[in-house]
Amino acid sequence: LPEREKDPEYWRAQAQQTLRAALRLQRLNQNVAKNLILFLGDGMGVSTVTATRILKGQLQHGKGEENLLEMDKFPHVALAKTYNTNAQVPDSAGTATAYLCGVKANEGTVGVSAGVTRDRCNTTKGQEVTSILRWAKDEGKAVGIVTTTRVTHATPSAAYAHSANRDWYSDGEMPPDALEGGCRDIARQLVENIPDIEVGMGMGWSGQLSPGDNGTPPKDPTSAPLPPRDAATPLRMLLPPRDAGTHPRNFGTPKGCWLSPALSLSPGLFEPGDMVYELDRNNETDPSLSEMVAVAIRMLQKNPRGFFLLVEGGDGFCKGGKGGDAKKGSDDGTNRGNEGMRKEKNKDCDVRCLAPMQSDVDRKPFTSILYGNGPGYKIVAGERENVSAVDFAHADYQAQSAVPLRQETHGGEDVAVFARGPMAHLFHGVHEQNYIPHAMAYAACI
């Protein structure tokens, strides 16, 4: 225990400093916001924020709890209710429609109102809703999307697409009745709905190339441009070769990054599917989320009228959590312990290890981080697994869960909204999730 924490004056001084900072917030920032950035950690509930905060502090050789994430320093915080109109526990498409388009929607639908039934193409017409990205574009601002998922995935697609099914990525994944009914795949809508998006970075070129490419990009980047896309052909992407001098950080050149002949997106796609976890990322071939964001801002800020940028960390929090992999989820958070997790107790351990007590029922240890359900549920010899000898440091370790599922489900709890800048005080208390883009638009007068 640090000596300073034994002194009551340390805690009193800390509280007084926080109080003075709070009093300064009475002078509200009511300026007009020129630039808007919406950061979204898919699956980043309050418990994940707490675990990430502690882990980051421990990785910096502290206890962890006393650490602050950058967003913890934002002066205004609110809670957003995440339910979909037809589901208490939401999915990412319905929630993305809420915080980007400003209306609550049904589970599994994207960019449409709750009048649309999932999978029913014929319910879509007239129910399309536009996003804050479109609102900003119509006001002359530059706009961009950066994501570690496919650019056609639930969160980014809500910025530009309208679909009765979030999984209709390409026309090959749509049922015949939807195609016959005139519904368009999400990749096509990326090309057609807002064709002048200035910056787009993400993943997902597999399955979106010319027929016959077998999931690999064209070999010759100097060849003639691909022919115009028709309704039956998926979105095509062009990959310049990666040879000497094509490090992914060299975003300013046509080498080492994905470019689309059909879009003004630049750079473009870096992986065939979703981006690998931060723990697994090859920094010689794939950029980090922070690197992509830095480049996007440099490109967007050239517009004198400002910009809107959507940034999604969608792999570590969401897919790491769904796999019961707290290490990958929280590690993605620290790059972009509780009482039992003192490093003095176990120098090789952190917040992801064992709790300081055993169950008072089966007398076995349990992990500090637990999932309600997921693949971490294990029965050994008819009893709950004894995890005392488990390698918690392994990158693929799955935290214990109470109910067996192949993938952990979403939670239905409120999520925190951290805000700073002009009119950030509009975020306070508990809000419906669809309030978020309305408050941001008001701050920018769009």
Side-chain angles (χ1 to χ4, degrees):
L1 186 67
E3 287 298 317
R4 66 182 185 181
E5 294 189 9
K6 299 177 182 178
D7 183 358
E9 286 304 315
Y10 165 75
W11 299 107
R12 293 179 183 130
Q14 183 191 72
Q16 288 294 318
Q17 181 180 7
T18 303
L19 177 59
R20 288 191 292 272
L23 291 171
R24 288 195 293 272
L25 293 179
Q26 294 182 91
R27 299 191 292 272
L28 300 178
N29 182 346
Q30 301 190 59
N31 296 323
V32 174
K34 179 180 180 181
N35 304 316
L36 299 169
I37 305 178
L38 177 57
F39 288 95
L40 188 283
D42 195 338
M44 194 179 70
V46 173
S47 58
T48 303
V49 174
T50 302
T52 301
R53 178 192 303 125
I54 295 171
L55 177 60
K56 182 179 180 182
Q58 290 173 337
L59 293 176
Q60 295 172 343
H61 309 294
K63 290 190 306 175
E65 298 91 343
E66 77 291 349
N67 183 56
L68 286 176
L69 300 171
E70 287 305 309
M71 60 190 177
D72 291 338
K73 302 173 187 176
F74 286 17
H76 300 280
V77 181
L79 291 175
K81 297 188 286 183
T82 59
Y83 68 93
N84 294 152
T85 47
N86 65 340
Q88 185 179 83
V89 177
D91 90 308
S92 298
T95 52
T97 301
Y99 60 71
L100 287 173
C101 303
V103 301
K104 286 271 187 173
N106 287 331
E107 177 190 23
T109 65
V110 63
V112 291
S113 76
V116 173
T117 303
R118 186 171 187 171
D119 293 324
R120 292 181 57 184
C121 168
N122 62 358
T123 64
T124 306
K125 188 173 182 180
Q127 301 299 320
E128 300 89 348
V129 292
T130 57
S131 74
I132 187 172
L133 183 142
R134 182 58 181 263
W135 308 343
K137 189 65 185 176
D138 289 346
E139 290 292 325
K141 293 182 180 294
V143 295
I145 299 172
V146 173
T147 178
T148 57
T149 69
R150 286 160 284 177
V151 292
T152 53
H153 212 253
T155 295
S157 67
Y160 58 82
H162 317 286
S163 179
N165 190 317
R166 58 173 286 178
D167 297 325
W168 290 350
Y169 301 122
S170 67
D171 47 14
E173 292 158 297
M174 296 177 66
D177 65 305
L179 292 171
E180 293 167 4
C183 284
R184 297 174 297 159
D185 62 82
I186 294 172
R188 177 176 178 178
Q189 293 187 60
L190 172 60
V191 176
E192 297 177 348
N193 289 3
I194 310 180
D196 47 359
I197 296 175
E198 280 80 3
V199 174
M201 299 185 221
M203 315 298 139
W205 52 260
S206 180
Q208 300 191 53
L209 298 164
S210 305
D213 284 328
N214 297 319
T216 58
K219 301 293 184 185
D220 182 10
T222 62
S223 60
L226 294 170
R229 182 185 182 283
D230 58 41
T233 308
L235 176 67
R236 303 180 177 97
M237 288 294 177
L238 176 65
L239 175 66
R242 280 184 174 143
D243 49 21
T246 60
H247 193 280
R249 291 181 179 83
N250 190 16
F251 289 100
T253 72
K255 292 185 177 181
C257 63
W258 292 90
L259 299 175
S260 165
L263 303 174
S264 58
L265 301 181
S266 174
L269 310 182
F270 295 94
E271 285 285 342
D274 296 327
M275 193 173 187
V276 297
Y277 298 113
E278 181 64 24
L279 274 176
D280 302 327
R281 181 175 63 86
N282 183 337
N283 60 16
E284 293 301 316
T285 59
D286 285 350
S288 68
L289 179 60
S290 58
E291 288 172 328
M292 290 192 289
V293 170
V295 171
I297 291 175
R298 287 203 300 271
M299 297 172 71
L300 294 173
Q301 65 187 5
K302 296 176 182 178
N303 187 323
R305 301 190 68 172
F307 64 82
F308 170 82
L309 174 62
L310 170 64
V311 179
E312 179 197 23
D315 279 312
F317 296 120
C318 184
K319 294 181 177 61
K322 284 188 175 181
D325 198 327
K327 183 177 180 67
K328 288 177 177 174
S330 55
D331 188 81
D332 269 40
T334 59
N335 286 281
R336 310 175 271 242
N338 56 30
E339 185 61 30
M341 295 300 108
R342 299 288 182 250
K343 287 204 171 182
E344 301 85 49
K345 184 176 177 115
N346 184 342
K347 295 185 183 299
D348 296 322
C349 197
D350 54 41
V351 72
R352 299 163 293 197
C353 295
L354 291 179
M357 61 182 288
Q358 295 182 342
S359 165
D360 59 3
V361 176
D362 64 11
R363 303 299 176 186
K364 291 181 180 178
F366 55 92
T367 52
S368 177
I369 292 178
L370 296 167
Y371 286 88
N373 55 47
Y377 178 92
K378 293 180 177 65
I379 295 294
V380 179
E383 297 182 349
R384 185 171 68 89
E385 179 186 26
N386 189 330
V387 293
S388 58
V390 169
D391 180 10
F392 302 104
H394 195 281
D396 294 324
Y397 166 70
Q398 293 174 321
Q400 288 184 298
S401 64
V403 177
L405 282 180
R406 290 188 180 90
Q407 281 194 333
E408 185 262 353
T409 61
H410 284 193
E413 75 273 21
D414 299 346
V415 298
V417 180
F418 301 86
R420 67 179 302 174
M423 307 301 291
H425 56 276
L426 295 176
F427 292 97
H428 63 284
V430 180
H431 303 295
E432 294 288 358
Q433 197 171 33
N434 64 294
Y435 169 78
I436 293 172
H438 293 280
M440 294 184 72
Y442 180 82
C445 288
I446 60 175

